[in-house]
Amino acid sequence: SHALVEVDVESDGADKLMEEAFGISSSCWAHANTNTYKVAKTEDNSLLVPSNEVLLLPEKEAVPQHSILNGYIKEFDLDRPRQELKLPTPIITLGFPKAGTSSIFEYFHCGGRPTAHYACKVMTPTEERTDKCGKCIEKNMAENRFPLTQCVEKMGSCGHLDDWCGTCIKQNIDTNRPPLEGCGNFDVYTEINQSFGRARQKKGADQIPTTIYFPQVEALEKFHEAYPTATFILNTRNFEHWIGSVDNWSILRSRFVKSDIRGLPTGVGMDDNDLRTFYNGHYTRIRKFVEDHPSHALVEVDVESDGADKLMEEAFGISSSCWAHANTNTYKVAKTEDNSLLVPSNEVLLLPEKEAVPQHSILNGYIKEFDLDRPRQELKLPTPIITLGFPKAGTSSIFEYFHCGGRPTAHYACKVMTPTEERTDKCGKCIEKNMAENRFPLTQCVEKMGSCGHLDDWCGTCIKQNIDTNRPPLEGCGNFDVYTEINQSFGRARQKKGADQIPTTIYFPQVEALEKFHEAYPTATFILNTRNFEHWIGSVDNWSILRSRFVKSDIRGLPTGVGMDDNDLRTFYNGHYTRVREFVRDHPSHALVEVNVESEGAASLMEEAFGISASCWGHAN
């Protein structure tokens, strides 16, 4: 009356036999332990197990009931059912960072699958786990910042490097253990690389190499040995788009160059063609490896393609709607006649990987770190927040207000004027000297050198280049919450007598391209900073050759040669403010906060509008 199912658990056909007998898919057979262990062997290398003994396998690490993103727990949406996977776990992303790994993380997490991204353990700020960095980590996590922000710089070392997936994997490989042992036992690992060294190092201190480690490049064979049925994801992206993201992500390009990577030796990678060869070579090698090891499934996905969501659903079984849960960078969509977003019910928006939100502000090319003793304050209005008034009308006060509130803010420059040989060419020493003396980074550098390159360090140039090439205005310009001064001056302030006279002009994106900001950021918040005109024009005349720049530029509403007469500038000034008010009235998806920066109620108005304490207004010039 009993049924007996006899199965040799080591046989190739065990999975099929179990499916035929019990009806559960044979793919589940691969979910058993894959830990390595040592046993006695006979001379012919077969396992030697006495008939009255069994192999005792080590206890399997528990499958977590959450995901981890950069050290933070992400709980599952209990209203969304956990979706079954069509392919075996572990699922490991083998492409590079800045190629949609965040989108892939959000896709699997949305489907209820435990997923790890960059960190494999929670950065719990306990005394036992984080030592002297505990309070720093705890403060960062309370304010939703990257856990180790400024902690290593302040403390020197924080320990517990194996919290991060890449280090956990590297330590396992170095000690000949399965790569993912003790690294969380997640279903999916979406970013497994690891950066070492500090992004910002104190001048005069020992310079620690800032390198990066890619297990998917250095140890692909080890993953196959330990997980012969693992599923691999090969996430691809247009190379030019990828390298642009690399260059916009802190010192990531420098990490490639300073690391000794298989296929990219130390010192190679500043030339785009070298990185292109490495990038394409890695992808070719993965495809060939899986072709030679067909026990793996390989899912190749172009994360920018229109069909990425459908491809992922077909491959893994998780709804394509989860693809839209990824990053929220800018994108273009069709609109109805009433200007509302038009998204067909059977489609989802494919969002590109989002540029990282910086953990600092930038003022005229200098990093301004946040006061860790001051809590980060939540905003009442959507980002990006863009100041549309003119310079010399309180833009510095607005910068200090948001920076005081812990919100990443850019003023005039959108990138740090790091005086490295790679970034500043012949102006490097001049910039370094100015920054050491706390002067404007390019003071006299252009006059002395003729040109310093890297104009897109400045917000106005970055924005102009984007608009000229039909890209979203702020793409690659730092992804700050707030932009307080976005104009850009061109030409030299002081020119040698007898030398070619280069026009000294000024460009105002808020005047020339307001419509482009609306197209790319239909819910952006605008600040219209006003000031008594006589006071404003007095500041303009007292600021180097700013009046001359207005006169020599061809500005919408102020043609070349006009502006020496105060009345001409008054007409232009008032006309711009009127146009901004009318634009927002016609495009009510935007919030407009108009503030007279000289009024006694400016501080209270800003607090009421944005939620940051009025006391921050006093941090201004």
Side-chain angles (χ1 to χ4, degrees), residues 165-183:
C165 297
T167 306
C168 183
I169 292 168
K170 188 175 189 303
Q171 289 177 351
N172 283 330
I173 290 170
D174 290 346
T175 53
N176 201 32
R177 292 178 297 185
L180 299 176
E181 185 176 289
C183 303

Side-chain angles (χ1 to χ4, degrees), residues 46-260:
S46 60
L47 295 182
L48 176 61
V49 184
S51 59
N52 62 340
E53 293 185 12
V54 295
L55 289 175
L56 182 61
L57 302 183
E59 188 174 6
K60 190 174 183 180
E61 188 177 1
V63 175
Q65 299 305 306
H66 55 257
S67 295
I68 294 183
L69 176 66
N70 296 329
Y72 286 82
I73 283 181
K74 284 201 72 173
E75 302 290 357
F76 298 120
D77 182 351
L78 296 181
D79 294 328
R80 181 183 290 272
R82 180 176 182 270
Q83 300 179 49
E84 294 305 311
L85 293 169
K86 291 182 178 180
L87 291 172
T89 59
I91 298 167
I92 306 167
T93 299
L94 299 184
F96 292 116
K98 317 315 302 169
T101 54
S102 297
S103 299
I104 297 169
F105 170 87
E106 295 292 351
Y107 172 76
F108 285 105
H109 177 73
C110 166
R113 309 307 307 201
T115 305
H117 184 89
Y118 199 72
C120 284
K121 298 178 185 176
V122 182
M123 286 294 293
T124 311
T126 62
E127 187 174 331
E128 296 80 6
R129 294 194 65 252
T130 56
D131 309 314
K132 58 188 176 182
C133 291
K135 290 183 179 179
C136 180
I137 291 172
E138 185 170 12
K139 184 169 181 59
N140 284 328
M141 297 187 79
E143 297 173 8
N144 200 32
R145 291 188 288 199
F146 189 76
L148 287 178
T149 299
Q150 295 186 29
C151 299
V152 177
E153 285 81 357
K154 291 182 175 181
M155 307 297 179
S157 173
C158 288
H160 299 287
L161 286 177
D162 62 350
D163 288 346
W164 312 105
C165 297
T167 306
C168 183
I169 292 168
K170 188 175 189 303
Q171 289 177 351
N172 283 330
I173 290 170
D174 290 346
T175 53
N176 201 32
R177 292 178 297 185
L180 299 176
E181 185 176 289
C183 303
N185 199 30
F186 292 90
D187 284 350
V188 190
Y189 294 81
T190 56
E191 190 164 317
I192 59 174
N193 49 275
Q194 176 66 46
S195 296
F196 299 96
R198 308 178 192 180
R200 294 182 293 279
Q201 304 188 38
K202 292 181 180 178
K203 191 173 181 180
D206 292 339
Q207 300 300 292
I208 302 169
T210 49
T211 58
I212 193 165
Y213 169 69
F214 293 107
Q216 64 268 49
V217 176
E218 308 294 349
L220 185 57
E221 298 81 0
K222 297 294 184 181
F223 284 96
H224 168 68
E225 291 173 11
Y227 318 104
T229 60
T231 299
F232 296 148
I233 297 176
L234 194 58
N235 49 310
T236 67
R237 187 183 180 194
N238 173 281
F239 176 78
E240 280 69 27
H241 296 175
W242 177 74
I243 199 64
S245 290
V246 167
D247 285 339
N248 286 326
W249 186 272
S250 185
I251 57 168
L252 184 52
R253 164 86 76 141
S254 175
R255 290 188 183 277
F256 275 95
V257 175
K258 293 180 179 179
S259 303
D260 185 12

Side-chain angles (χ1 to χ4, degrees), residues 3-7 14-26 29:
L4 176 64
V5 179
E6 185 170 348
V7 56
D15 54 342
K16 299 297 183 185
L17 184 151
M18 294 293 281
E19 178 176 349
E20 184 175 345
F22 295 103
I24 295 175
S25 171
S26 59
W29 191 252

Side-chain angles (χ1 to χ4, degrees), residues 476-492:
C477 303
N479 199 30
F480 293 88
D481 285 349
V482 190
Y483 295 81
T484 55
E485 190 165 316
I486 59 174
N487 49 277
Q488 175 66 46
S489 297
F490 298 98
R492 307 179 191 181

